Amino acid sequence: MDLEETREKRPPVTPMMIEEEAALRNGSRGLPPGSWAEAAGPRPRTTERHIAVHKRLVLGFAVSILALLAVTMIAVLLSVRFEECSAAADGPPRGSGNGSLPGAARQPSGAGQPPGRPEQEEENEARGGEVAEEEEEEEWQRRRELPPWTRPRLPQHLRPLHYNLMLSAFMENFTFSGEVNVQLEVLNASRYIVLHAHRMHIEAVRVAEDKLAGGVRVDRSFFYPQTQVFVVVLNRSLEVQKSYNLKIIYNALIENELLGFFRSSYVLHGERRFLGVTQFSPTHARKAFPCFDEPIYKATFKISIRHQATYLSLSNMPVETSVFEEDGWVTDHFSQTPLMSTYYLAWAVCNFTYRETVTKSGVVVRLYARPDAIRRGSGDYALNITRRLIEFYEDYFKVPYSLPKLDLLAVPKHPYAAMENWGLSVFVEQRILLDPSISSISYLLDVTMVIVHELCHQWFGDLVTPVWWEDVWLKEGFAHYFEFVGTDYLYPGWNMEKQRFLTDVLHEVMLLDGLASSHPVSQEVQQATDIDRVFDWIAYKKDYLTIHKYGNAARNDLWNTLSKALKRVGKSVNIQQVMDQWTLQMGYPVITILGNETTDNVIVISQERFVYDIDAKPKDPALGDSSYLWQIPLTIAVGNTSHISSEAIIWVSNKSEHHKIPALEEASWLLGNINQTGYFRVNYDIRNWRLLINQLTRNHEVISVSNRAGLIDDAFNLARAGYLPQNIPLEIIRYLSEEKDFLPWHAASRALYPLDKLLDRAENYNVFNEYILRQVASMYLKLGWPMNNLNKSLVQASYQHEELRREVIMLACSFGNKHCHQQAATLISDWISSNRNRIPLNVRDIVYCTGVSLMDEDVWEFIWMKFHSITAVSEKKILLEALTCSDDRNLLNRLLNLSLNSEVVLDQDAIDVIIHVARNPHGRDLAWKFFREKWKILNARYGEALFMNSKLISGVTEFLNTEEELRELKNFIKSYEGGAAVSFSRAVETVEANVRWKKLYKEELFQWLRKSLTH
C-alpha cells in the first residue's frame, strides 16, 4: 500500500478524527558495537474516518451516556452537595489561573515556569497529612491490624469499573491538570478508599453514590508515601454491591525524567521543540492520575486531552471528536477503551507528523515521528512490517487484533527500547527509525526484532495480562520468543527461531542466571521497587489467548491449558508439577555425563545447580545449592566420525542416575541436549570432550550447527566456572578455520568476550591475543571485506554470509590483525579527505571504532563533528559509540563529562557512553571513578527507572577484576545513598567471581597458551 505523508490538521468540527546496543567493545583493539556488547546481560516493546466499533462497545457507550445523564438530572433535582476536602501534597505545587476543562484544575500561572507555593503552605499541608495518618494508624493499632494503606498490595474491597479522565496539558511551563472520575464497585464494606497517587497535588475529592442516595461525606484524606497511595476516609462505610463515583481534581508537573507523564525534546530548523509522553509500566500511572495501579484492576477508560492547537494528542483509542476553542486550544475526546490495566494506558502531546497504512482487516496503522524523519521516509520500513506482522499474528494466533488502530510513536527520549501500550506503542527513535541508505543489516535486525516484540505484546500482555508482577514472564517471555517467529516470517532465510534464539537469548540469559544472586522465573513481589527486576523469558500460543481474552492470567492458568492440550492427544502429564521446578527455583542445572569404566554401555548422569562462583553465598541461606533438583528431559545421541544416531530422551529426576546406552562403542562419543532444546548446560568426562574436539576437527558437519554453537558456549562457561580445564574451550575453537556457518562463530565471539575482558589488562595479554588471531586469520582472508553497497538494497546478500563476514572482521580488527587495521584506517582517511562516506554499511561501526582507537585526536574530533551534524539516528548511535574507543584518556574523560549534558547526549544514551568507556581497557578505571563521583546525579536521573539503573551498575562493574577494585566496590556500597540493592549485590558477586577466576585459573590458561603457540 502506498504511504501518504500527512501533516496532522484538524477542521473546526469533525464527527471523528483518527494516532541497545550495540555495546561498543572499546580499546586499542577497536571492537565495535555488535553482539559482544551485550554478552553479559539480557537485553533487559488512521486516516480521518468513522470507525466501525464493536456492537458491545457501542451499546456500552450508549448505556454509559444514558446513565451519566440520569445521574446528572437526579443530582440537580436533589441539589446533591459534594463535600470537598483539600489533601496533603506530596508532589508538585498547586496551580492557579483559569482556562481549564469544565470542573477541572486550572492552568498554572507564570508561563514558562512551574508554579510555586509558599514553603510554609507545603509544610502545613504535609504536617496535616501526617497528623491524619497518625490518627488513623492509632485506630488500627487498637484493632491489632495493619492499616490497609500500609500494605504492599491495595486492599480488595473496591474494584474500579471505569475511569473518565480529563487532562489539560500546558506545554509552555510543563504542567498539567486533571480531573478523574472513577466508577467503583464495592465488594466489601469499608469507609476507606485507598488508591495509588504519587508526586501530585490533589485539590479536591468528592464521593457520590450513583443512585438516589446522593453524596458521601469525606471526613479527611492523606497521602501515604511509603506505599505511594492516597487515602480517602469517609464518615460512613460504602455499602456492598453498590456503585459509587470517586472524583479527584489534581495537578502535577510534566517531569524532565523518564517515567510517568514526562517531557522530551528535539531540534528542528534550529528550534527546540517539546513533547509530552507517558511511560506507565510497571508502576508509574500513579504519577499521572490517581488510580488502582495494579495489573489485576482492569477497567475501561475514557480519555479527554486539552492542549494548544499547535499540538496534537494521541491515546490508546482513536479520537471521537475534537472541540476547538476561540483562544487557540482544542480538546480531543477519545473513544472508550476495552478492559485494560492502568500500565498499558498511554497518551502523548506533540507536534509530530505521520504516515499511515491499513491492514487487510481494516486496522489503521500510523507512525508518528519528527517531521524531518517522516519526510525522509525513516519510518516507512517500520510501518510496512507492522502492517504485515499484524496480518501474520492475526492468522497465527487465530485471534484478531482488538482495537481499530495502532499508532507507533518514535520519541527522542525513553527509558526502554519500546513500550507496548495498547493501540499506542512508544519507541525510542533508535529502535524504530531506519534510513535504508545508511543502515546496516545488524541495525535493521535490531529494529525489526524490537517492533516484532512489541507487536506480540498486543496479544501477550495487552489482551491477556498477568494477575501480578511475579508472573510477568507470561507476557515478556512469550513475546520475546515470538519475536523470533515473527522475524522468521518476514525473513525466512535468516532462520532466526532455530538459530539466533540460541545465541541471542538462551546463551545470554544463562549468563545472568548462573549467578548465585539470580532469581526464579516466578518470584515474589511485595513492593513497587521490586517490580522492575522481575522481567524474564519463555513461550506459549493460542488457546490461552482465547480463554483469558480481556482478562488476567497466572502461571497455573498456562499449565492447565497445556495439560488439557496434551490430554486431547491422549497424554496425561502434570505440567504444573514439572514446570514449578523450573519457574519457582532460581538458576538452572548442569548435567554431567560420565562413562562407567566398570560396566559396558552404562553412563552416570548427575545434576547440580550451575553457578559461576561456587564460593558465592546463595540468595536464600536456608536453601543451599545442594537442595536444588529439576526434572530434566535430557535428549542424547551417540556419534562417530561419520554418523550420529537419532536422539533418545532420558528423564533425569535424581541427583545421580545410571543409564544403559546401546551401541556405545570405544570410539563413539556422546552428545547431550540435542539442538539445545533444554535450559541447562552439559558437561562430559575429559575423554568424551577429546572425542568431540576430534570430531569437530575432522568433520564438524556430523554435529548440527546448533550443537556446534552449544558446545562452544557450554565449554567456555563451564571453564569460567571451574567445571572444566581452561584449555578445552580454546581447543574447541581451533576448528573454526573450517566453519562456514555464522552461528558457531557468533557463539565463539560472544563466549570470548568476557574472557577477553578478564585478561585485557594483564601483562601477558598478547599471548591470548595472538592465539585468537591465529584462529581467525584464515577465515578472514577467505571472506575479505564487503564492497561499497550504498546504492544496493539493504538486505543485498545472504544474511548468514554477510553476518559471518562481519563477525570475522570484528574479531580480526579487535585482536589487532594488521590488514584489518590498515583497511579501517584507509577507509576513515578517505572519508575525511573526500568528505564522502564510502565505508560499507555493514562494517561502519567496526571501522569507526578501529579508526578512533588507532588514529590521532583529529579523527576523534571529526567523528565528534559528524555526530553533531548528522540527523539519521542509526548513524548517530554508532558515531557516539565510536568516540568511546579512543586510547586517549583525556578524550575519554571529556566524553564522560559531556555525557551528563542532556542537550548533547540523550539521557538513555549517556548510560551507553559510560558503559562503553568501562569496556575499554584504557577507560575502565576512568568510568568506574566517574560512576562513583557522579552517583548522586546518576541515581537521581535513573534511580526510579530501575532497569536503566541496573544496566548502568552492571555495565560499569562487570569487568572489574582486581582485589583493589573489589574493595572499592564494597566500600562504595557501604557509603552510597539510594536504591538498587539487588543490582549492587549482583555486581559484588560478579566481581568476586572475576577475582576468583584470575586467582585460580589465569596462570593455568597462560601456561597452556604459551605452550600451544610454540608448537
Side-chain angles (χ1 to χ4, degrees):
M1 166 160 286
D2 291 337
L3 300 176
E4 178 185 359
E5 180 174 343
T6 312
R7 174 64 184 169
E8 181 79 19
K9 296 180 180 178
R10 301 185 187 275
V13 180
T14 59
M16 182 175 293
M17 302 188 65
I18 316 297
E19 69 99 348
E20 143 178 283
E21 179 112 45
L24 202 49
R25 181 175 183 259
N26 300 289
S28 59
R29 295 173 306 287
L31 183 64
S35 56
W36 277 40
E38 301 300 332
R43 302 195 320 171
R45 121 46 76 46
T46 57
T47 54
E48 294 180 14
R49 68 184 185 95
H50 294 280
I51 296 180
V53 185
H54 195 285
K55 290 180 181 178
R56 287 180 295 176
L57 290 179
V58 174
L59 179 61
F61 178 72
V63 171
S64 66
I65 291 295
L66 290 173
L68 181 60
L69 288 172
V71 170
T72 304
M73 290 173 64
I74 292 167
V76 171
L77 287 171
L78 296 179
S79 300
V80 175
R81 295 182 60 191
F82 293 92
E83 188 71 26
E84 293 197 12
C85 180
S86 206
D90 88 321
R94 184 196 308 268
S96 60
N98 52 33
S100 65
L101 288 166
R106 295 166 294 283
Q107 176 176 358
S109 59
Q113 295 294 330
R117 287 186 297 157
E119 290 184 11
Q120 187 62 46
E121 181 185 345
E122 292 185 357
E123 290 174 7
N124 290 341
E125 286 192 5
R127 219 174 276 124
E130 289 172 5
V131 171
E133 175 194 320
E134 288 172 5
E135 291 175 355
E136 295 297 333
E137 288 192 2
E138 287 175 5
E139 179 183 334
W140 283 88
Q141 285 173 4
R142 286 193 293 272
R143 300 185 195 177
R144 297 185 178 180
E145 293 181 48
L146 280 175
W149 54 88
T150 65
R151 300 166 191 169
R153 298 279 296 272
L154 291 177
Q156 297 180 358
H157 61 276
L158 297 174
R159 180 170 65 193
L161 302 177
H162 176 75
Y163 294 81
N164 196 322
L165 178 59
M166 295 174 284
L167 302 165
S168 291
F170 307 106
M171 295 302 296
E172 73 279 8
N173 63 3
F174 309 123
T175 61
F176 71 101
S177 60
E179 175 185 316
V180 62
N181 289 271
V182 190
Q183 182 186 355
L184 299 173
E185 179 185 9
V186 181
L187 304 177
N188 294 293
S190 176
R191 58 188 287 257
Y192 301 98
I193 299 175
V194 183
L195 73 167
H196 290 107
H198 188 45
R199 293 171 67 171
M200 63 180 61
H201 173 71
I202 292 180
E203 294 188 344
V205 181
R206 303 172 181 175
V207 179
E209 192 172 338
D210 281 355
K211 297 183 181 177
L212 299 177
V216 180
R217 183 186 175 96
V218 175
D219 187 52
R220 58 190 177 276
S221 59
F222 57 90
F223 284 96
Y224 190 74
Q226 293 92 323
T227 51
Q228 300 179 354
V229 297
F230 180 68
V231 183
V232 180
V233 185
L234 305 171
N235 72 339
R236 66 175 175 87
S237 291
L238 302 178
E239 298 178 44
V240 176
Q241 295 184 344
K242 285 191 175 181
S243 180
Y244 294 83
N245 182 74
L246 169 66
K247 177 178 180 178
I248 299 178
I249 297 173
Y250 66 100
N251 58 58
L253 297 178
I254 303 174
E255 299 277 8
N256 184 24
E257 54 171 45
L258 294 161
L259 300 167
F261 184 22
F262 66 94
R263 67 183 186 263
S264 182
S265 68
Y266 63 98
V267 176
L268 184 67
H269 307 310
E271 173 194 358
R272 184 161 292 279
R273 296 188 177 187
F274 290 91
L275 62 141
V277 67
T278 59
Q279 170 59 36
F280 290 162
S281 176
T283 60
H284 305 288
R286 63 194 67 176
K287 293 179 180 176
F289 66 107
C291 57
F292 294 77
D293 199 13
E294 293 179 5
I296 196 170
Y297 290 111
K298 286 195 167 187
T300 54
F301 295 82
K302 189 77 168 62
I303 308 293
S304 298
I305 301 177
R306 181 176 179 269
H307 55 85
Q308 292 164 302
T310 52
Y311 289 84
L312 61 89
S313 67
L314 304 170
S315 190
N316 305 78
M317 298 297 288
V319 172
E320 280 186 335
T321 57
S322 295
V323 179
F324 287 78
E325 303 171 15
E326 292 182 358
D327 60 357
W329 286 72
V330 60
T331 301
D332 295 324
H333 299 280
F334 295 88
S335 300
Q336 181 171 305
T337 71
L339 284 171
M340 61 186 291
S341 301
T342 50
Y343 76 97
Y344 278 133
L345 194 68
W347 63 77
V349 178
C350 60
N351 43 25
F352 284 175
T353 54
Y354 68 88
R355 292 194 183 184
E356 71 174 36
T357 186
V358 183
T359 70
K360 293 175 183 176
S361 60
V363 178
V364 178
V365 183
R366 282 184 173 181
L367 187 143
Y368 287 84
R370 292 179 284 111
D372 55 326
I374 292 294
R375 190 166 50 251
R376 287 198 310 269
S378 300
D380 293 356
Y381 173 77
L383 189 62
N384 278 316
I385 68 168
T386 297
R387 173 181 53 80
R388 293 177 59 198
L389 286 164
I390 289 175
E391 293 168 352
F392 168 69
Y393 282 124
E394 285 185 324
D395 178 67
Y396 188 89
F397 296 130
K398 300 296 186 264
V399 175
Y401 177 73
S402 305
L403 301 183
K405 63 93 175 175
L406 173 61
D407 292 336
L408 312 175
L409 179 64
V411 298
K413 181 174 78 171
H414 198 263
Y416 307 108
M419 178 61 204
E420 67 277 8
N421 310 305
W422 211 358
L424 176 57
S425 290
V426 181
F427 296 77
V428 70
E429 289 178 333
Q430 294 173 355
R431 295 297 192 270
I432 193 169
L433 300 182
L434 183 146
D435 292 88
S437 62
I438 54 173
S439 296
S440 65
I441 296 176
S442 57
Y443 184 81
L444 176 139
L445 175 62
D446 191 26
V447 167
T448 300
M449 297 195 73
V450 170
I451 293 170
V452 176
H453 180 100
E454 301 311 318
L455 283 179
C456 288
H457 275 309
Q458 300 296 317
W459 284 265
F460 297 107
D462 295 2
L463 189 63
V464 179
T465 308
V467 170
W468 182 237
W469 298 108
E470 64 194 6
D471 286 328
V472 74
W473 59 272
L474 287 175
K475 75 181 188 74
E476 286 301 326
F478 294 140
H480 203 86
Y481 172 74
F482 279 110
E483 75 183 54
F484 288 85
V485 176
T487 306
D488 263 354
Y489 163 72
L490 294 172
Y491 299 103
W494 289 13
N495 207 12
M496 297 297 296
E497 181 187 358
K498 292 183 172 60
Q499 293 195 1
R500 284 296 286 266
F501 183 79
L502 297 179
T503 54
D504 293 7
V505 178
L506 184 66
H507 294 174
E508 190 173 273
V509 76
M510 290 177 94
L511 284 167
L512 183 64
D513 211 12
L515 297 174
S517 56
S518 180
H519 61 75
V521 171
S522 284
Q523 57 175 321
E524 186 175 10
V525 173
Q526 289 291 348
Q527 52 192 341
T529 52
D530 292 335
I531 292 170
D532 260 305
R533 61 181 170 83
V534 300
F535 289 72
D536 273 298
W537 329 46
I538 226 162
Y540 71 69
K541 205 182 167 183
K542 177 214 162 191
D543 266 354
Y544 193 65
L545 287 171
T546 306
I547 294 168
H548 298 284
K549 187 176 180 180
Y550 299 113
N552 298 83
R555 60 182 176 272
N556 288 343
D557 296 314
L558 174 61
W559 308 146
N560 292 337
T561 300
L562 295 174
S563 293
K564 288 175 183 176
L566 286 171
K567 195 170 184 179
R568 286 199 295 269
V569 296
K571 295 183 179 181
S572 180
V573 179
N574 188 334
I575 296 292
Q576 180 180 342
Q577 183 180 351
V578 175
M579 291 306 299
D580 277 355
Q581 292 181 322
W582 293 92
T583 60
L584 301 181
Q585 289 187 130
M586 70 178 72
Y588 58 89
V590 52
I591 287 281
T592 301
I593 303 174
L594 302 175
N596 191 318
E597 296 180 359
T598 60
T599 310
D600 291 341
N601 296 343
V602 172
I603 59 172
V604 180
I605 303 176
S606 60
Q607 63 163 296
E608 62 181 297
R609 184 188 172 196
F610 177 89
V611 286
Y612 285 104
D613 185 354
I614 59 174
D615 296 329
K617 295 178 181 178
K619 190 175 181 181
D620 182 357
L623 191 63
D625 289 338
S626 61
S627 64
Y628 283 83
L629 196 66
W630 290 265
Q631 291 190 53
I632 304 169
L634 172 65
T635 50
I636 196 166
V638 179
N640 54 38
T641 54
S642 60
H643 174 74
I644 187 170
S645 70
S646 57
E647 65 186 69
I649 186 167
I650 298 171
W651 279 91
V652 181
S653 305
N654 302 302
K655 285 292 181 184
S656 182
E657 301 178 359
H658 288 71
H659 291 272
K660 188 174 181 65
I661 304 296
L664 188 59
E665 299 172 356
E666 179 67 24
S668 299
W669 41 261
L670 285 167
L671 187 64
N673 196 13
I674 304 303
N675 292 321
Q676 286 210 287
T677 52
Y679 186 59
F680 49 88
R681 299 196 185 280
V682 182
N683 194 10
Y684 309 94
D685 55 52
I686 294 299
R687 176 181 173 278
N688 199 72
W689 276 113
R690 292 286 177 204
L691 289 169
L692 288 168
I693 291 169
N694 186 56
Q695 182 65 56
L696 290 171
T697 304
R698 291 188 174 187
N699 183 5
H700 60 271
E701 293 183 349
V702 169
I703 300 172
S704 72
V705 171
S706 297
N707 272 122
R708 299 200 298 269
L711 282 170
I712 292 169
D713 185 72
D714 276 352
F716 272 96
N717 284 281
L718 288 166
R720 184 179 173 189
Y723 294 90
L724 197 61
Q726 301 301 305
N727 58 295
I728 295 295
L730 294 175
E731 289 189 53
I732 286 178
I733 62 171
R734 281 176 169 168
Y735 95 96
L736 285 176
S737 59
E738 301 300 322
E739 178 61 79
K740 298 177 183 178
D741 280 291
F742 163 71
L743 197 67
W745 275 99
H746 190 50
S749 178
R750 295 176 70 93
L752 282 167
Y753 173 70
L755 180 59
D756 176 71
K757 292 303 172 190
L758 287 173
L759 300 173
D760 62 8
R761 293 181 294 176
E763 291 183 8
N764 297 322
Y765 176 76
N766 63 307
V767 179
F768 174 71
N769 193 80
E770 177 62 26
Y771 182 83
I772 302 303
L773 277 179
R774 287 191 184 183
Q775 315 315 314
V776 174
S778 63
M779 188 58 68
Y780 172 76
L781 291 174
K782 289 177 187 175
L783 295 173
W785 280 66
M787 301 295 292
N788 184 305
N789 54 4
L790 294 181
N791 298 318
K792 295 184 180 180
S793 166
L794 190 61
V795 191
Q796 71 286 2
S798 162
Y799 162 77
Q800 299 285 346
H801 180 77
E802 286 304 305
E803 285 297 273
L804 171 60
R805 174 162 33 202
R806 171 186 162 78
E807 200 80 58
V808 171
I809 290 174
M810 182 168 60
L811 286 167
C813 275
S814 164
F815 286 97
N817 179 283
K818 291 181 180 179
H819 180 272
C820 195
H821 280 186
Q822 183 180 6
Q823 183 73 3
T826 300
L827 289 167
I828 287 279
S829 299
D830 174 69
W831 183 19
I832 294 173
S833 61
S834 67
N835 202 29
R836 185 179 174 201
N837 193 341
R838 289 184 277 255
I839 301 170
L841 299 178
N842 217 35
V843 293
R844 279 191 176 181
D845 53 350
I846 303 173
V847 172
Y848 294 173
C849 183
T850 304
V852 166
S853 70
L854 293 174
M855 302 167 80
D856 58 25
E857 186 175 341
D858 289 343
V859 173
W860 195 95
E861 296 289 355
F862 176 80
I863 297 293
W864 177 249
M865 176 193 69
K866 289 296 183 182
F867 165 72
H868 281 286
S869 62
I870 201 160
T871 56
V873 293
S874 60
E875 188 74 357
K876 208 171 184 69
K877 174 180 171 62
I878 62 174
L879 287 166
L880 179 62
E881 290 169 343
L883 294 167
T884 69
C885 298
S886 177
D887 291 359
D888 189 323
R889 291 170 61 85
N890 291 328
L891 291 175
L892 293 176
N893 258 330
R894 176 182 164 191
L895 185 62
L896 286 169
N897 287 307
L898 286 167
S899 70
L900 292 185
N901 185 341
S902 297
E903 299 292 316
V904 177
V905 178
L906 293 171
D907 287 355
Q908 69 267 12
D909 294 339
I911 287 180
D912 290 331
V913 168
I914 299 167
I915 291 173
H916 296 159
V917 172
R919 290 171 176 171
N920 180 341
H922 300 282
R924 190 165 303 149
D925 63 316
L926 299 178
W928 173 223
K929 181 182 178 184
F930 180 83
F931 172 85
R932 286 174 288 159
E933 290 177 350
K934 305 297 183 183
W935 169 249
K936 288 186 178 180
I937 298 172
L938 295 167
N939 194 46
R941 180 187 284 189
Y942 305 115
E944 282 200 276
L946 296 181
F947 176 82
M948 299 184 77
N949 226 12
S950 176
K951 176 183 176 183
L952 175 61
I953 293 166
S954 171
V956 170
T957 62
E958 64 183 333
F959 298 118
L960 301 178
N961 54 40
T962 68
E963 294 279 5
E964 177 61 26
E965 287 167 340
L966 179 59
R967 280 193 297 271
E968 290 172 350
L969 175 60
K970 290 180 175 179
N971 290 336
F972 173 74
I973 293 172
K974 289 178 183 177
S975 63
Y976 85 99
E977 298 177 3
V982 172
S983 298
F984 278 120
S985 173
R986 186 178 297 144
V988 169
E989 183 186 344
T990 300
V991 178
E992 285 177 339
N994 292 345
V995 171
R996 175 179 175 272
W997 184 89
K998 284 184 66 178
K999 182 179 180 180
L1000 295 178
Y1001 304 118
K1002 186 182 77 169
E1003 191 51 41
E1004 172 194 331
L1005 179 69
F1006 279 131
Q1007 285 180 5
W1008 183 87
L1009 285 169
R1010 284 190 288 266
K1011 184 178 179 181
S1012 175
L1013 290 172
T1014 57
H1015 285 72

